[in-house]
């Protein structure tokens, strides 16, 4: 696929997807969503990829400023919502669990950790994208907002489901009902972010974190643990325990289990396979 609104780089097991419409503050369009899903699908299928990082083009001075204004105007003119995507759009993460088979929820079906490196404003769908990542790091002073209230929209793309699970109902109600702006520092206090860093240290920290994750965690463990986390949001405790025991019986037979034990005993980095 020709990339017009995104960039892709792979180095040392880390796939970096950059939202790149700098003249529009990396605002979201149907084309960007199409490219983003295609890139996620490619990264998920590539055995060389261990971790996926999503960030914004720094020239845009935002992570993603939300839906492009032109798209918002188009909805008003058409009198209906138009996602701007085709029926044959890529479906990364689909087929793992029916609970994940929808826009942005597909992140939960992807078999690799997804890290959001939020290097500027994240509004509307930009906040959605960050919320559905597995880990979130942001530059100090970054501003966030749900935005939907000012457009007579509902909470977008499952924010009403995911935000209460990340930050609790009290904080989620505040952000969803008010559509107010909040800062990275406030988001960290609420538990939305893993860490807030100086802007010039953000990508250094995220890259280092991703490298350590890729080196120290077996790919099968990362995949199955991630799926357990999001599936268990719908399960009772007993089912979660039973499924964990089933996975243990299966995964202990994989060569990476023996390699992990051997590497630990020999005090060296593991040589993961698969």
């Amino acid at each position: 696929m020709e990339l017009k609104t995104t960039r892709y780089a792979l180095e040392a097991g880390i796939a970096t997807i950059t939202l790149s419409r700098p003249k529009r503050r990396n605002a979201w369009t149907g084309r960007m969503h199409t490219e983003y899903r295609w890139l996620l699908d490619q990264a998920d299928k590539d055995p060389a990829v261990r971790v996926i990082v999503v960030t914004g083009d720094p020239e845009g001075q935002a992570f993603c400023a939300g839906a492009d204004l032109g798209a918002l105007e188009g909805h008003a003119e058409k009198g209906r919502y138009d996602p701007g995507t085709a029926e044959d759009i890529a479906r990364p993460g689909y087929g793992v669990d029916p609970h994940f088979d929808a826009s942005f929820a597909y992140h939960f079906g992807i078999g690799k950790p997804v890290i959001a490196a939020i290097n500027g404003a994240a509004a509307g769908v930009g906040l959605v994208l960050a919320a559905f990542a597995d880990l979130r790091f942001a530059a100090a002073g970054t501003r966030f907002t749900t935005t939907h209230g000012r457009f007579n929209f509902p909470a977008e793309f499952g924010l009403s489901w995911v935000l209460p699970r990340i930050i609790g109902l009290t904080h989620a109600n505040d952000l969803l009902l008010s559509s107010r702006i909040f800062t990275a520092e406030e988001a960290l206090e609420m538990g939305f972010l893993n860490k807030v860093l100086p802007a010039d240290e953000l990508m250094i920290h995220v890259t280092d974190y991703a490298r350590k994750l890729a080196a120290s965690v077996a790919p099968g463990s990362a995949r199955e643990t991630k799926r357990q986390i999001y599936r268990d949001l719908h399960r009772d405790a007993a089912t979660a325990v039973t499924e964990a025991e089933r996975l243990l019986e299966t995964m202990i037979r994989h060569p990476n289990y023996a390699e992990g034990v051997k590497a630990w005993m020999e005090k060296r980095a593991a040589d993961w396979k698969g």
Side-chain angles (χ1 to χ4, degrees), residues 14-197:
I14 304 168
T16 301
I17 300 174
T18 303
L19 310 178
S20 185
R21 297 184 70 229
K23 293 181 180 179
R24 304 290 289 180
R25 302 191 72 215
N26 305 324
W28 194 258
T29 63
R31 175 72 194 193
M32 182 179 280
H33 197 177
T34 299
E35 291 182 19
Y36 178 71
R37 283 171 62 148
W38 185 81
L39 288 173
L40 277 184
D41 197 41
Q42 299 302 302
D44 196 25
K45 292 175 179 175
D46 186 350
V49 175
R50 297 292 174 82
V51 182
I52 301 168
V53 173
V54 182
T55 193
D57 188 327
E59 291 188 12
Q61 299 184 332
F63 174 70
C64 175
D68 187 86
L69 183 59
L72 294 175
E73 291 174 336
H75 300 329
E77 291 171 1
K78 294 174 184 176
R80 63 180 178 83
Y81 172 71
D82 180 2
T85 56
E87 288 295 322
D88 62 352
I89 191 171
R91 283 170 164 71
Y94 276 66
V96 172
D97 188 300
H99 292 103
F100 308 157
D101 291 352
S103 289
F104 298 99
Y106 52 68
H107 284 86
F108 298 159
I110 292 169
K112 290 148 190 194
V114 177
I115 302 175
I118 308 164
N119 56 343
V125 69
L127 179 63
V128 171
L129 188 61
F132 278 98
D134 304 306
L135 298 154
R136 288 166 291 278
F137 300 89
T142 293
R143 288 153 66 94
F144 299 83
T145 178
T146 63
T147 74
H148 64 275
R150 72 189 65 172
F151 299 118
N152 193 42
F153 280 173
E156 297 178 272
F157 298 112
L159 272 181
S160 57
W161 182 90
V162 72
L163 271 184
R165 285 163 171 77
I166 297 173
I167 61 177
L169 187 60
T170 300
H171 289 311
N173 281 348
D174 169 24
L175 303 183
L176 291 169
L177 294 174
S178 72
S179 287
R180 69 177 179 84
I181 293 171
F182 58 104
T183 65
E185 290 71 22
E186 191 176 358
L188 179 65
E189 186 176 350
M190 290 179 182
F192 183 71
L193 298 174
N194 294 90
K195 196 174 185 69
V196 172
L197 300 119

